Every structure is written in structure tokens, then in C-alpha cells.
Amino acid sequence: MLQNGKEYIQHTSHLGKTSIKDAAENLEPAAMEKLNWLIHLQHVRGEINSCKDLIKNEIARSQGKNEYVYYKQGILLKQEGNVQLALDTFQKCLKLNQQNILILREVAKCLFEMGRFHLALNAFLEAEQLSKNPDWQLYYYTARTYMKLGNSEKSVEYAHKSAKAGKQEESYALLMKILISVRDFPAAIVVANTGVEACPDSVTLLTESGLLYLKIGQSQYAFERLSQALALDQTCAKALLGIGYITHKHDEYDVALSKYKIAVLYEPESVALWNNIGMCFYAKQKYIAAVSCLKRGLWLAPLNWKLLYNLGLVHLATGQPASGFNFACAAVNLRPDLGECFALLGHTLFELKDTENALRATKQAHSLVPTDATFTANTALLLHLAGAQAEYEEYINKFMKLCEDGHTISQEASNLVEILKANITSNINNDKIPDDPKVSSEEHDFLAPQEHPQGQVNQENSNELQDDEV
């Protein structure tokens, strides 16, 4: 029989139709991956329980040979926090296909989260060898692994690769962080500007670049970047903290407090926020509120030396030198490499009428920062009180040398040295105590330490700043 120019055979037998259908089913078994699309759809929709049931059925139906099902099961386990079970699942998947770069990368990420950085690095490098195309995520996690292992050079190299391959905000942020940790601030600024150009709507990059400008002392550029971040996200706590710090340094305490109070609603456990709020209240002479906020921060971070330093400062302002001494000692024990802590300790001892030990602490502060005119003037004052005339004149000469060399000298330090020079012929007894009537009010007041510049970067210690500190 011909139909449309072709021979057409009509099967009239029902038995014949059934036999052909059965034969087709026997010759062409169902595809193992036929429900992969449904597993993916349920996963992205958040139908986790249904997705798990379907994965279980598919593992049984495929007799453990469906690679994608194991991959999705590992992703679900990892999202639930079961990293070890996820690692075992990914390893089962890897046995089915050892050339799968995606699975090998997930194995390495699990090892990274478990803190097994050497094994994670080997897995990442193996995945890199198998990869034929640049993979920014692979470079990104390799850079993080090298950073954990303390290899700054390699971490910078792979972070550069990641930023170049993907131009993602995560890559730029990581590269900035690494460069800041190695104190390469000019390169970090270049990366920050490049990242903002590539991702102009990234709140993270705008905020981090603003804080970077703040660390190197360029407040104007910092204010611009942080304002742009707040224009995109008014609830960005880090940007609010940075803006608040800038206004704080310009003595606009009410404006700064308004920014801090908004930020603390979204970051109630930020140590830097509670510290800055406390120092705002200190500047407004609201000492009880200042102590309350600083102790709230200390409860969150008991080993934060800046909080201890500022608590010692506030207790001195309230006439409690013994409490101030305790906090100053704790700060010195945590950071014996900082002159500011020894200077505070020296003042608390001075208030406690222990001139000898106060002089030792102040000398230690001067030895740690010999170019600081304030520490030099304080040491000269205590030597004057202790009656050590020869050393006293030596420190006066050191102070004058700092002036000649062009170092920054505060007006208070200059006034104090002028008073000391006027009294250089005075005969001071070695047993003189600090509250002797001959100690002028100007001399006594000058020993009071200044508010610690939370957020101002000391170039010698900038790599010690925590991520959430401004």
C-alpha cells in the first residue's frame, strides 16, 4: 500500500503492536539521568525533603552509578553543616569520574572548611592541572588556602589570577585583604579602585575601599566611598561605623552617635561599634554610659587590648586610679610592644603615688617609641619629680632634638617642656611624691593619656587590626 509516495505497512494485529513495544523497552532502557532536572529544580525551589527522597530513590534505581545525584546529595549535606558526610559523598562521586573538576573542587572546599589545609591545597592544585580553562573560583580558594598556610607570595599570585579571570567582587576583596596584611597599601589602593570600576554597585568593595582609605589617613576619599556604599545600602553596618568614626574625629559626637546607634541595630556584636560608642560618651563626659558600653564590648572580646586601654582611661577620668591600673596592666600584658599601654600604666602609677614604677613604665614607653615627643616629655617630667637631674636634662635635650628634626610636637608637650626648662635649677628631693605642692597643675594634667585612636592606623601595627575594627 502506498501513502504519500512511500510504502506504508499497517499493523492490524494488537498482539503485534504489543510485541514491538515490549521489544523497544527491552532494547532501550530508561536513561540513568532522566530525573536529574527534577532534582535540580526541587533543590533551587527549596523543596529539600522532596529532593532528598528523590535522590534516595535515584541512588537505588541507578545502583549508585549516577554521578549527579551524589553531587547534589553532597551539596545538600554541606549546606546543612555536615561537612564530613558531604566529603564522603563527594569522594563517592569522584570514584565514578576522577576527571570531574567540579567534584574535585568541592572535595577541596570540604577539606578547607575542616581545617585540613595541606590536603585542600593538594586537591586544588590537582584540579588546576586538570582544568583546561581559567576558573576564578578555583584560584580564589587556592589563594585563601595559601593565606591560611602563611604563604603570602603565593596567595597574592592566585588572588591576582582570580581577579583577572572572573572580575568578581570576592576576588578583589580577597586580594585587598592579603595586600593589607603584607602592608602593601599602594597596591591595595590600586586593587580597590580597579574593583570599584569593575563592580560599581558592590557595597562590599565600596565599604572595604573606604575603610582602606581611612586606614591610610585619607579621610576625604574614605568619606566618599562610604557614602556611596550607604547610598546603595543604608543598613551597611561597616559603612555606618566608618562614617561615624570620621565625624567622631571631627568632634561631632552627636552625629557620630546617631550613626553608631543605627549600625548597632544590625551588628549588635561588633566590638568596634561598642568601643567607639563608649569613647563618644567619654568625650561628652558621660562616664557611666562610657564604662557600660566599653564593658559590653569587653564581654564580647575579653582579650581586646583597645577596650582595656580605654577602660583604664575612663576610670582615670572618674578618679579611680586603682581600677585604671588593673585595666592598664591587662592591656600591657596583651600588647607589650606598644608604647601607649606603658604610658597609660605610668600615669595610673603616678596617680597611685608610685613615682619610681611610673618612671619605669614611662621609660619603657619612650624606648618603644623614641620619636614620640609626648613620651619624651612625660619621662622628663617624672625624672624631674624623682630628682634625677642628669637624666632629666638628657631627656629635655632629646625633646629639643625631636623639635629640630621636624617631628610632630603637640602644644601641650611644648608648654610642659617650657615649664620644666624654667625649673631646671630646682633642687628636687629623690623621695618627692607626685602630689607635692610644687607639682604644677600643667605638669599633672599633661601626664593624662589621650583617648586611644580607635581606627587610626599605626603603620607598625596595621596588619594586626581585626576585620571588624575601624
Side-chain angles (χ1 to χ4, degrees), residues 56-92:
K56 185 178 180 180
N57 294 335
E58 284 299 296
I59 290 176
R61 188 179 69 83
S62 64
Q63 298 179 354
K65 296 180 180 179
N66 191 334
E67 180 183 346
Y68 182 79
V69 171
Y70 279 122
Y71 169 74
K72 276 297 183 182
Q73 187 180 47
I75 294 294
L76 289 173
L77 288 169
K78 189 177 176 183
Q79 290 176 349
E80 293 174 350
N82 297 324
V83 183
Q84 182 62 58
L85 292 177
L87 177 61
D88 296 339
T89 305
F90 286 131
Q91 287 176 336
K92 290 179 184 178

Coordinates of all heavy atoms in Angstrom, one line a residue, residues 56-92:
K56 N 17.4 9.7 47.1 CA 17.5 8.3 47.6 C 16.9 7.3 46.6 O 17.6 6.2 46.4 CB 16.7 8.3 48.9 CG 16.8 7.0 49.7 CD 16.0 7.0 51.0 CE 16.1 5.7 51.7 NZ 15.4 5.7 53.0
N57 N 15.8 7.6 46.0 CA 15.3 6.7 45.0 C 16.1 6.5 43.8 O 16.3 5.4 43.3 CB 13.9 7.1 44.6 CG 12.9 7.1 45.8 OD1 13.0 6.3 46.7 ND2 11.8 8.0 45.7
E58 N 16.7 7.6 43.4 CA 17.6 7.6 42.2 C 18.9 6.8 42.4 O 19.4 6.2 41.6 CB 17.9 9.0 41.7 CG 16.7 9.7 41.0 CD 16.3 8.9 39.8 OE1 17.1 8.8 38.8 OE2 15.2 8.4 39.7
I59 N 19.4 6.9 43.7 CA 20.6 6.2 44.0 C 20.3 4.7 43.9 O 21.1 3.9 43.4 CB 21.1 6.6 45.4 CG1 21.7 8.0 45.4 CG2 22.2 5.6 45.9 CD1 22.2 8.5 46.7
A60 N 19.1 4.3 44.5 CA 18.8 2.9 44.4 C 18.5 2.4 43.0 O 18.9 1.3 42.6 CB 17.5 2.7 45.3
R61 N 17.8 3.3 42.2 CA 17.5 2.9 40.8 C 18.7 2.7 40.0 O 18.8 1.8 39.1 CB 16.5 3.9 40.2 CG 16.0 3.5 38.9 CD 15.0 4.5 38.4 NE 15.7 5.8 38.0 CZ 16.3 5.9 36.8 NH1 16.3 5.0 35.9 NH2 16.9 7.1 36.6
S62 N 19.7 3.7 40.2 CA 20.9 3.6 39.3 C 22.0 2.7 39.9 O 23.1 2.6 39.3 CB 21.5 5.0 39.2 OG 21.9 5.6 40.4
Q63 N 21.7 2.1 41.1 CA 22.7 1.2 41.8 C 24.0 2.0 42.1 O 25.1 1.5 42.0 CB 22.9 0.0 40.9 CG 21.7 -0.9 40.7 CD 22.0 -2.1 39.8 OE1 23.1 -2.2 39.3 NE2 21.0 -2.9 39.7
G64 N 23.8 3.3 42.5 CA 25.0 4.0 42.9 C 25.9 4.5 41.8 O 27.0 4.8 42.0
K65 N 25.3 4.6 40.6 CA 26.2 5.0 39.4 C 25.8 6.3 38.8 O 26.4 6.7 37.8 CB 26.1 3.9 38.3 CG 26.6 2.5 38.7 CD 26.4 1.5 37.6 CE 27.0 0.1 38.1 NZ 26.8 -0.9 37.0
N66 N 24.9 7.0 39.4 CA 24.5 8.3 38.9 C 25.4 9.4 39.6 O 25.2 9.7 40.8 CB 23.0 8.6 39.2 CG 22.5 9.8 38.5 OD1 23.3 10.7 38.2 ND2 21.2 9.9 38.2
E67 N 26.3 10.0 38.9 CA 27.3 10.9 39.4 C 26.6 12.2 39.9 O 26.9 12.7 41.0 CB 28.3 11.3 38.3 CG 29.3 12.2 38.7 CD 30.2 12.5 37.5 OE1 30.2 11.8 36.5 OE2 31.0 13.5 37.5
Y68 N 25.6 12.7 39.2 CA 25.0 14.0 39.5 C 24.2 13.9 40.8 O 24.1 14.8 41.6 CB 24.0 14.4 38.4 CG 23.4 15.7 38.6 CD1 24.1 16.9 38.4 CD2 22.0 15.8 39.1 CE1 23.5 18.2 38.6 CE2 21.4 17.0 39.3 CZ 22.1 18.2 39.1 OH 21.5 19.4 39.3
V69 N 23.6 12.7 41.1 CA 22.8 12.5 42.3 C 23.7 12.6 43.5 O 23.3 13.3 44.5 CB 22.1 11.2 42.2 CG1 21.4 10.8 43.6 CG2 21.0 11.1 41.1
Y70 N 24.9 12.0 43.5 CA 25.8 12.1 44.6 C 26.3 13.5 44.8 O 26.5 14.0 45.9 CB 27.0 11.2 44.4 CG 26.7 9.7 44.7 CD1 26.9 8.7 43.8 CD2 26.3 9.4 46.0 CE1 26.6 7.4 44.1 CE2 26.1 8.0 46.3 CZ 26.3 7.1 45.4 OH 26.0 5.8 45.7
Y71 N 26.5 14.2 43.7 CA 26.9 15.6 43.8 C 25.9 16.5 44.5 O 26.2 17.3 45.4 CB 27.1 16.2 42.3 CG 27.3 17.7 42.3 CD1 28.5 18.3 42.7 CD2 26.3 18.5 41.8 CE1 28.7 19.6 42.7 CE2 26.5 19.9 41.8 CZ 27.7 20.4 42.2 OH 27.9 21.8 42.2
K72 N 24.6 16.3 44.1 CA 23.5 17.1 44.8 C 23.4 16.7 46.2 O 23.1 17.6 47.1 CB 22.2 16.9 44.0 CG 22.0 17.8 42.8 CD 22.0 19.3 43.2 CE 21.8 20.2 42.1 NZ 21.8 21.6 42.5
Q73 N 23.6 15.4 46.5 CA 23.5 15.0 47.9 C 24.6 15.6 48.8 O 24.4 16.1 49.9 CB 23.5 13.5 48.0 CG 23.3 12.9 49.4 CD 23.4 11.4 49.4 OE1 24.3 10.8 48.9 NE2 22.4 10.8 50.0
G74 N 25.8 15.7 48.2 CA 26.9 16.3 48.9 C 26.6 17.8 49.1 O 27.0 18.3 50.2
I75 N 26.1 18.5 48.1 CA 25.8 19.9 48.3 C 24.8 20.2 49.4 O 24.9 21.1 50.2 CB 25.2 20.5 47.0 CG1 26.3 20.5 45.9 CG2 24.7 21.9 47.2 CD1 27.5 21.4 46.2
L76 N 23.7 19.3 49.4 CA 22.7 19.4 50.5 C 23.3 19.2 51.9 O 23.0 19.9 52.8 CB 21.6 18.5 50.2 CG 20.7 18.8 49.1 CD1 19.7 17.7 48.8 CD2 19.9 20.1 49.3
L77 N 24.2 18.2 52.0 CA 24.8 17.9 53.3 C 25.7 19.0 53.7 O 25.7 19.4 54.9 CB 25.6 16.6 53.2 CG 24.7 15.3 53.1 CD1 25.6 14.1 52.7 CD2 24.0 15.0 54.4
K78 N 26.4 19.6 52.8 CA 27.3 20.7 53.1 C 26.5 21.9 53.6 O 26.9 22.7 54.5 CB 28.1 21.0 51.9 CG 29.2 22.0 52.1 CD 30.1 22.3 50.9 CE 31.1 23.3 51.1 NZ 31.9 23.6 49.9
Q79 N 25.4 22.2 52.9 CA 24.5 23.3 53.3 C 24.0 23.1 54.7 O 23.7 24.1 55.4 CB 23.4 23.5 52.3 CG 23.9 24.0 51.0 CD 22.7 24.1 50.0 OE1 21.6 23.6 50.2 NE2 23.0 24.8 48.8
E80 N 23.8 21.9 55.1 CA 23.2 21.6 56.5 C 24.3 21.6 57.5 O 24.1 21.5 58.7 CB 22.5 20.3 56.5 CG 21.2 20.3 55.6 CD 20.6 18.9 55.5 OE1 21.3 17.9 55.9 OE2 19.5 18.7 55.0
G81 N 25.6 21.7 57.1 CA 26.7 21.8 58.0 C 27.4 20.4 58.3 O 28.3 20.3 59.1
N82 N 26.9 19.4 57.6 CA 27.5 18.0 57.7 C 28.7 17.9 56.8 O 28.6 17.2 55.7 CB 26.5 16.9 57.5 CG 25.3 17.0 58.5 OD1 25.6 17.3 59.7 ND2 24.1 16.7 58.1
V83 N 29.8 18.6 57.1 CA 30.9 18.7 56.1 C 31.6 17.3 55.9 O 31.9 16.9 54.8 CB 31.9 19.7 56.6 CG1 33.1 19.8 55.6 CG2 31.3 21.0 56.9
Q84 N 31.7 16.5 57.0 CA 32.3 15.2 56.9 C 31.5 14.3 56.0 O 32.0 13.6 55.1 CB 32.5 14.6 58.3 CG 33.2 13.2 58.3 CD 34.6 13.3 57.7 OE1 35.4 14.0 58.2 NE2 34.9 12.5 56.7
L85 N 30.2 14.2 56.2 CA 29.3 13.4 55.4 C 29.3 13.9 53.9 O 29.3 13.1 53.0 CB 27.9 13.4 55.9 CG 27.7 12.7 57.2 CD1 26.2 12.9 57.7 CD2 28.0 11.2 57.1
A86 N 29.4 15.2 53.8 CA 29.5 15.8 52.4 C 30.7 15.4 51.7 O 30.8 15.0 50.5 CB 29.4 17.3 52.5
L87 N 31.8 15.4 52.5 CA 33.1 14.9 51.9 C 33.1 13.5 51.5 O 33.6 13.1 50.4 CB 34.2 15.2 53.0 CG 35.6 14.7 52.6 CD1 36.1 15.4 51.3 CD2 36.6 14.9 53.7
D88 N 32.5 12.6 52.3 CA 32.4 11.2 51.9 C 31.5 11.0 50.7 O 31.8 10.2 49.8 CB 31.7 10.4 53.1 CG 32.6 10.4 54.3 OD1 33.8 10.7 54.2 OD2 32.1 10.2 55.5
T89 N 30.5 11.8 50.6 CA 29.6 11.7 49.4 C 30.3 12.2 48.1 O 30.2 11.6 47.1 CB 28.3 12.6 49.6 OG1 27.7 12.2 50.8 CG2 27.4 12.4 48.4
F90 N 31.1 13.3 48.2 CA 31.8 13.8 47.1 C 32.9 12.8 46.7 O 33.2 12.7 45.5 CB 32.4 15.2 47.4 CG 31.4 16.3 47.4 CD1 31.4 17.2 48.5 CD2 30.6 16.5 46.4 CE1 30.5 18.2 48.5 CE2 29.6 17.5 46.4 CZ 29.6 18.4 47.5
Q91 N 33.5 12.1 47.6 CA 34.5 11.1 47.3 C 33.9 9.9 46.6 O 34.5 9.4 45.7 CB 35.2 10.7 48.6 CG 36.2 11.8 49.1 CD 36.8 11.4 50.4 OE1 36.3 10.5 51.2 NE2 38.0 12.0 50.7
K92 N 32.7 9.6 46.9 CA 32.0 8.5 46.2 C 31.7 9.0 44.7 O 31.9 8.2 43.8 CB 30.6 8.2 46.8 CG 30.7 7.5 48.2 CD 29.3 7.2 48.7 CE 29.4 6.6 50.1 NZ 28.0 6.4 50.7

